[in-house]
Amino acid sequence: MQEPLTPGSFPAAPGAPPNAADHHPRPLVLVPALSEPDRLSHVVDSVLGALDADVLVLDAGGNNFSIPPHTDRVTVLEVPQGVGSAVRRGLEHAVRHGYEVVARVDGDGQHDPALLKDLLSRQQSGSDLVLASRYHPRSAVVAEPPTDRVALNVMFRSLVQQVCGLRLTDVVTGCWVMSRETAAFLAERIRTREYGSTLEMLMLLGLAGRFSVSEVPHPAIYAGLGVEERYTADRRASRCARAGTYLQVVSDVMDRCDANAWPRLIQR
């Protein structure tokens, strides 16, 4: 049985890849996708048009995706369903193949790949992880999120701040950029199979106490791309159930790290 890890006691992430030929100066952009046959190709094309980067499509099925012709910058990796599982597989791939920078955008088109340049610039300025925040004070509001989504983010960004000391505005975003050391650290520790992988990442990094996390604004887009179908009133109960999933993620990380919730959440 693995001994509990206390904050600051995590093993160091693996160093540089053993074979210099495996080093990749270009970033790797992870694109997890499930049943996005109408949007995935556009997302991949947009990433290739915006950045000199490689793309790893994490295909969980139902995408009907083909690698664009005349490019060696796109790889497709079949993964189990569950965005958390897909992200972990993507990080493992990135570390194994020597990528120095890893990014993520979702395959449904809700993120603007052009904004990855801002995240990359911030990461190269010294941040280990840079989040694209939809709730940043400078984020453009294209379409306002429903009340349950706002409340969910407020609850868990408060938990992240109290437990880890990280003051962030969006702790469940699906768009980010991280360093290789950060990716190697997380690839060995992510357990979330479904929603909540970003929240788990932040908890792990915050409790480790040696990673820097920052944010850049990203438009809040809660309309178009079929989003309206997800946020109708008759789906509110299933959306609110995600709070339970996120709470399970927080509890699991704190248990694994042997982090006492009482002084962190009650006695502050």
Side-chain angles (χ1 to χ4, degrees):
M1 181 176 179
Q2 184 176 359
E3 294 182 0
L5 295 172
T6 57
S9 70
F10 293 95
N19 187 345
D22 292 336
H23 172 78
H24 283 276
R26 285 197 301 240
L28 177 67
V29 180
L30 309 181
V31 184
L34 170 65
S35 300
E36 296 292 350
D38 300 324
R39 303 186 184 102
L40 181 55
S41 292
H42 175 71
V43 171
V44 172
D45 289 342
S46 297
V47 172
L48 295 175
L51 298 173
D52 180 20
D54 293 339
V55 176
L56 179 65
V57 174
L58 301 166
D59 187 352
N63 294 302
N64 192 28
F65 175 76
S66 298
I67 295 177
H70 313 300
T71 182
D72 60 354
R73 292 164 54 192
V74 179
T75 302
V76 177
L77 181 65
E78 294 184 2
V79 296
Q81 290 189 11
V83 66
S85 298
V87 167
R88 175 167 181 160
R89 291 284 298 277
L91 293 177
E92 291 171 343
H93 177 97
V95 173
R96 187 181 309 115
H97 292 275
Y99 284 94
E100 294 298 320
V101 179
V102 190
R104 173 190 166 186
V105 297
D106 283 339
D108 60 4
Q110 66 174 294
H111 304 124
D112 183 359
L115 294 179
L116 285 175
K117 290 182 178 179
D118 295 338
L119 278 75
L120 287 165
S121 177
R122 177 69 65 84
Q123 189 276 322
Q124 291 166 4
S125 297
S127 292
D128 296 303
L129 171 66
V130 184
L131 306 173
S133 172
R134 300 157 295 178
Y135 300 98
H136 193 282
R138 298 200 307 272
S139 295
V141 181
V142 178
E144 293 185 0
T147 301
D148 57 271
R149 298 297 290 179
V150 176
L152 191 68
N153 184 64
V154 169
M155 285 189 294
F156 285 95
R157 77 185 188 190
S158 176
L159 269 173
V160 168
Q161 180 179 338
Q162 289 184 263
V163 172
C164 304
L166 297 175
R167 297 180 63 89
L168 301 166
T169 61
D170 192 345
V171 297
V172 292
T173 178
C175 182
W176 42 253
V177 171
M178 68 176 65
S179 66
R180 181 185 184 276
E181 180 188 11
T182 309
F185 176 86
L186 292 170
E188 296 179 348
R189 293 168 174 83
I190 291 178
R191 291 184 179 178
T192 303
R193 295 182 179 180
E194 298 291 342
Y195 295 109
S197 61
T198 299
L199 180 61
E200 182 182 22
M201 285 168 20
L202 292 172
M203 295 287 297
L204 290 166
L205 296 176
L207 289 171
R210 61 182 177 84
F211 294 91
S212 60
V213 183
S214 61
E215 297 180 309
V216 299
H218 187 284
I221 305 173
Y222 284 87
L225 304 172
V227 166
E228 293 91 339
E229 299 175 2
R230 306 177 198 173
Y231 296 112
T232 54
D234 62 325
R235 293 194 175 187
R236 186 177 295 122
S238 62
R239 295 198 307 271
C240 290
R242 194 176 296 187
T245 300
Y246 289 167
L247 185 58
Q248 185 174 353
V249 169
V250 171
S251 300
D252 175 69
V253 173
M254 294 189 71
D255 287 347
R256 281 190 279 151
C257 298
D258 197 24
N260 190 343
W262 180 260
R264 295 171 183 271
L265 299 177
I266 303 298
Q267 297 181 355
R268 284 193 172 184

